[in-house]
Amino acid sequence: MREIDVQQIIDVVEKLCIEANNHLPEDVKCAIKNCRACEDGKIAKGVLDNIIENFEIADNECVPICQDTGMACVFLEIGQDVHLTGGDLSEAVNEGVRRGYDKGYLRKSVVKDPVRRGNTGDNTPAMLYTEIVPGEEIKVTVGPKGFGSENMSQIRMFKPSHGLQGIKDFILEVVETAGPNPCPPMVVGVGIGGTFDKAALLAKKALMRPVDSENADPFYADLEKEMLEKVNELGIGPQGFGGKTTAIGLNIETLPTHIAGMPCAVNINCHVTRHKTEVI
């Protein structure tokens, strides 16, 4: 049994909140640059040039890539042989977010109540997702989620009779409805299976995968490629001005589900697809 003091959780979450907001993952940068090389429209090229210049400035000056520094989505994979000491885990995560958003001069965007509003003033509480896994380590992933893209996400409870075509049509419908709102080129996370809530979580987790990765199942790997091509054929383009690049990535995650259902969630992210991971 390995003991880990929650102070380590605080420190890592604080650091990752800042790093994730200031530095895009390398796979996302490469995907944007590759798409720039393939565009032939003047406006599309210009928009992608501005996006590249923006994330390079953020890298060099250690400032946020986007003014919407998002809700802090924190994923913890906790080894079953870990014993946490020194305090409450949820409180530690929130303290890390609080310190990170303060120290990093990141915008506080969380309200106390969904209807009555009122800013919490420190971007807490975090959206915390925990999973117990084998081992004696804790894998911490922080994915700040902006809401221009989050608001464009949808879930649908399909019956099995809708089949694969129903899922394909739904993915395209969600992206087309989103249009320019999620600041394309976007990343599309798709969750299929589980229950109503699990499908949404799968779609969120799909956004944490590198955009140059593929599903381990060849069937879904092929579906990812097919749907990314079809999404880009919509012609929405960078920032909605038209072009070949509507999305730079489309990831699918799945789970077993009930015989009577086929839940499908589509979680949209903007080109600022931020996530950082560290293992304690």
Side-chain angles (χ1 to χ4, degrees):
M1 181 69 68
R2 179 185 173 207
E3 289 193 352
I4 296 178
D5 194 299
V6 296
Q7 182 60 51
Q8 290 184 253
I9 302 288
I10 295 173
D11 294 341
V12 168
V13 170
E14 174 187 331
K15 181 174 70 170
L16 295 183
C17 283
I18 297 171
E19 290 183 355
N21 271 294
N22 292 351
H23 307 289
L24 270 186
E26 289 301 318
D27 61 286
V28 176
K29 294 177 186 176
C30 288
I32 293 172
K33 289 178 179 178
N34 289 339
C35 288
R36 166 62 179 83
C38 296
E39 283 288 355
D40 48 24
K42 183 177 180 181
I43 295 177
K45 286 181 178 179
V47 170
L48 290 172
D49 283 340
N50 288 337
I51 287 173
I52 292 168
E53 181 184 11
N54 180 66
F55 70 63
E56 288 178 345
I57 291 172
D59 268 338
N60 294 331
E61 299 187 14
C62 291
V63 294
I65 308 158
C66 178
Q67 53 81 27
D68 183 355
T69 52
M71 288 192 83
C73 296
V74 180
F75 299 83
L76 299 180
E77 293 182 21
I78 305 171
Q80 63 187 19
D81 296 321
V82 169
H83 176 218
L84 289 162
T85 63
D88 180 87
L89 176 61
S90 295
E91 290 179 4
V93 169
N94 285 325
E95 181 60 23
V97 170
R98 186 176 294 113
R99 294 184 187 183
Y101 274 74
D102 183 59
K103 183 177 178 180
Y105 301 101
L106 307 176
R107 195 184 82 184
K108 286 80 173 177
S109 304
V110 177
V111 295
K112 298 175 184 178
D113 184 274
V115 176
R116 294 169 292 179
R117 318 304 281 178
N119 201 295
T120 63
D122 57 10
N123 221 59
T124 66
M127 298 295 104
L128 178 57
Y129 309 95
T130 59
E131 183 179 354
I132 303 299
V133 298
E136 55 179 22
E137 297 178 329
I138 300 178
K139 182 179 179 181
V140 184
T141 299
V142 175
K145 191 65 169 71
F147 260 63
S149 58
E150 190 77 351
N151 284 340
M152 296 297 104
S153 306
Q154 296 186 41
I155 187 168
R156 189 164 295 173
M157 300 301 290
F158 285 108
K159 295 178 180 177
S161 57
H162 284 93
L164 179 59
Q165 191 59 47
I167 289 174
K168 291 180 179 181
D169 292 344
F170 178 55
I171 294 170
L172 292 177
E173 176 190 331
V174 173
V175 173
E176 192 163 21
T177 300
N181 293 298
C183 293
M186 63 187 81
V187 177
V188 182
V190 181
I192 307 171
T195 54
F196 179 84
D197 54 314
K198 273 290 190 178
L201 179 56
L202 285 172
K204 180 78 77 211
K205 291 177 75 172
L207 295 175
M208 302 298 113
R209 261 180 52 201
V211 294
D212 56 0
S213 67
E214 60 180 36
N215 193 290
D217 185 330
F219 174 83
Y220 288 109
D222 289 342
L223 184 59
E224 288 173 337
K225 293 173 187 175
E226 177 188 349
M227 295 313 301
L228 180 59
E229 289 178 6
K230 289 184 176 179
V231 163
N232 283 324
E233 287 170 1
L234 293 173
I236 295 168
Q239 296 298 298
F241 291 111
K244 299 178 180 179
T245 313
T246 296
I248 58 173
L250 189 148
N251 294 339
I252 298 173
E253 294 293 325
T254 67
L255 273 179
T257 191
H258 191 277
I259 56 172
M262 192 174 62
C264 182
V266 180
N267 197 194
I268 303 291
N269 215 346
C270 61
H271 65 273
V272 185
T273 296
R274 301 162 288 194
H275 48 86
K276 288 287 182 181
T277 298
E278 185 166 319
V279 176
I280 300 173

